[in-house]
Amino acid sequence: MTLSRPTIYFIRHGETDWNLEGRLQGQKDIPLNDLGRVQAEEAGRRLQSIVPHYEDLAYLASPMLRTRETMEILRTAIGLHPEGYRLDERLVEITFGSWEGMTWKEVRKAEPQMAALRERDKWNYAPPGGGESYAMLTDRLRPVIDDLTRETVIVAHGGVARAFLAVCCGINSRQAASMDIWQGRVLVIEGRNHRWV
C-alpha cells in the first residue's frame, strides 16, 4: 500500500518569446516576456483563491530563469516574500539536445527521419545531441515526487508537468506526452486526480 501524497499545486512558468515562436526551449535559459509576467501574477491569484492558508505551503522551483521569475512574481502578487522558496535542480525542463532553439517545423525539415521517430513514440524517444526522453525525465523526477512531505507549490515546466501527471495520476505515456500544459493556471494534483484552476 502506498501512502497518499500531499497535494501538489503545479504551475508552469509564464510565456517566453520562445514559447510564442514555438521554439524548443528545453534547458536554454530564456526569460519571461510581458505576457509571461502577467500569467505569473494570474497563477498567484488563482492559487490564493483555492488555498486559504497559502502562506503555509512549501514552495519549490526549477532553478531556470523563467521559473524563478514566475515564482517570485506569483509570491509577490499574493503578499509573500519573493525569495521564500527552494530550488531543486532535478526540476529543470527536459532537454531537446541539438534541437533546442528550433521550431518543430525546422526539426522536421532538417531531420525528417528523427522527427518521425519522435512523433511515433514521443515518450521514449531521446533527441540527438544528448536529448532526454520523457521516460528519462520521469526517472529523474520520481525521487522529487517521493520526497514531498507536505502540500507544495511547484513552479516548473511543461515537460515536467507531463511527467508528474504520469507518475502521480497514472496517465498513460502516449496521452501524457501530448497534453496541453497551460500557463497562468494551477494544475492541482490530489491523490490520483488532477484538475486545472
Side-chain angles (χ1 to χ4, degrees):
M1 183 185 123
T2 55
L3 293 170
S4 65
R5 289 191 181 91
T7 300
I8 298 165
Y9 301 95
F10 192 103
I11 294 162
R12 181 184 177 194
H13 63 81
E15 186 183 82
T16 69
D17 285 344
W18 276 25
N19 287 147
L20 189 59
E21 294 161 13
R23 296 192 181 283
L24 299 173
Q25 270 177 140
Q27 294 181 7
K28 293 281 188 272
D29 222 0
I30 311 300
L32 298 181
N33 63 21
D34 289 343
L35 176 58
R37 289 187 277 277
V38 170
Q39 289 169 332
E41 281 185 28
E42 209 171 278
R45 284 194 294 275
R46 286 174 191 256
L47 178 69
Q48 192 175 30
S49 75
I50 57 169
V51 186
H53 300 289
Y54 56 87
E55 66 280 359
D56 296 334
L57 302 173
Y59 287 79
L60 190 61
S62 156
M64 303 196 79
L65 180 59
R66 58 190 182 267
T67 42
R68 287 185 289 118
E69 275 189 286
T70 300
M71 177 68 91
E72 290 170 20
I73 290 167
L74 86 82
R75 285 181 59 86
T76 301
I78 60 177
L80 298 177
H81 190 285
E83 292 172 15
Y85 66 96
R86 289 185 308 112
L87 297 174
D88 192 320
E89 292 282 339
R90 297 170 295 181
L91 289 170
V92 296
E93 180 60 299
I94 193 171
T95 175
F96 292 101
S98 57
W99 292 353
E100 290 189 1
M102 297 168 81
T103 64
W104 275 118
K105 190 176 177 184
E106 290 166 347
V107 171
R108 283 189 203 103
K109 190 175 177 187
E111 305 190 66
Q113 286 156 322
M114 287 193 250
L117 284 173
R118 185 176 191 269
E119 279 163 12
R120 256 201 306 279
D121 187 4
K122 210 170 169 183
W123 194 261
N124 294 299
Y125 182 80
E132 275 178 302
S133 67
Y134 282 113
M136 293 158 72
L137 175 66
T138 302
D139 290 342
R140 164 157 61 86
L141 290 168
R142 199 177 298 275
V144 179
I145 295 166
D146 291 341
D147 288 349
L148 298 176
T149 56
R150 52 193 275 232
E151 293 196 353
T152 303
V153 175
I154 293 179
V155 178
H157 309 271
V160 174
R162 292 184 182 101
F164 267 67
L165 287 165
V167 172
C168 300
C169 304
I171 291 173
N172 75 59
S173 57
R174 183 171 289 280
Q175 190 185 351
S178 302
M179 290 179 82
D180 286 326
I181 306 296
W182 306 103
Q183 290 166 313
R185 295 178 65 186
V186 181
L187 172 61
V188 183
I189 299 174
E190 293 174 293
R192 303 286 281 173
N193 302 312
H194 72 280
R195 63 191 166 96
W196 285 97
V197 177

